[in-house]
Amino acid sequence: MGLCRVSSPKGELREAMFTFHNSMVGKSIYFPREQNPKTACGSCIQNVKVAIFKWYHFDSSAPEFDGLFFKERFGMHKIPLYGIKEK
């Protein structure tokens, strides 16, 4: 849910994003290889974020969260755009 709030994650969110991505390598087609969590490459960071959102959107084994909704459109690199539901 935190990835919906920021365009480029930093700090603990970024660490968690890379940890999750690297733990999914080989388990889904959306995570083909491990990524270096210490990278400063903005494209590499966005690729990890895109892979997570594509997995969440397209993979039937991904969990569903009640707090997220699909905005019915796609962004750059065909990333599914999600928002956070207001309470």
Side-chain angles (χ1 to χ4, degrees), residues 35-61:
Q35 296 288 338
N36 180 5
K38 297 186 187 300
T39 186
C41 171
S43 296
C44 298
I45 295 167
Q46 286 303 314
N47 287 341
V48 170
K49 184 177 174 182
V50 167
I52 291 171
F53 273 106
K54 283 184 176 180
W55 168 78
Y56 178 75
H57 186 77
F58 294 113
D59 198 325
S60 60
S61 68

Side-chain angles (χ1 to χ4, degrees), residues 4-15:
C4 290
R5 294 187 179 113
V6 296
S7 60
S8 184
K10 300 200 183 324
E12 290 179 11
L13 179 60
R14 180 176 157 177
E15 288 178 29

Side-chain angles (χ1 to χ4, degrees), residues 2-3 7 9-10 12-13 22-23 30-32 34-35 42-43 49 51 56 66 68 72-73 76-77 80 82:
L3 291 177
S7 60
K10 300 200 183 324
E12 290 179 11
L13 179 60
N22 290 339
S23 73
Y30 301 102
F31 307 100
E34 285 194 19
Q35 296 288 338
S43 296
K49 184 177 174 182
Y56 178 75
D66 293 334
L68 295 179
E72 303 296 328
R73 59 189 176 138
M76 290 179 61
H77 308 291
Y82 279 85

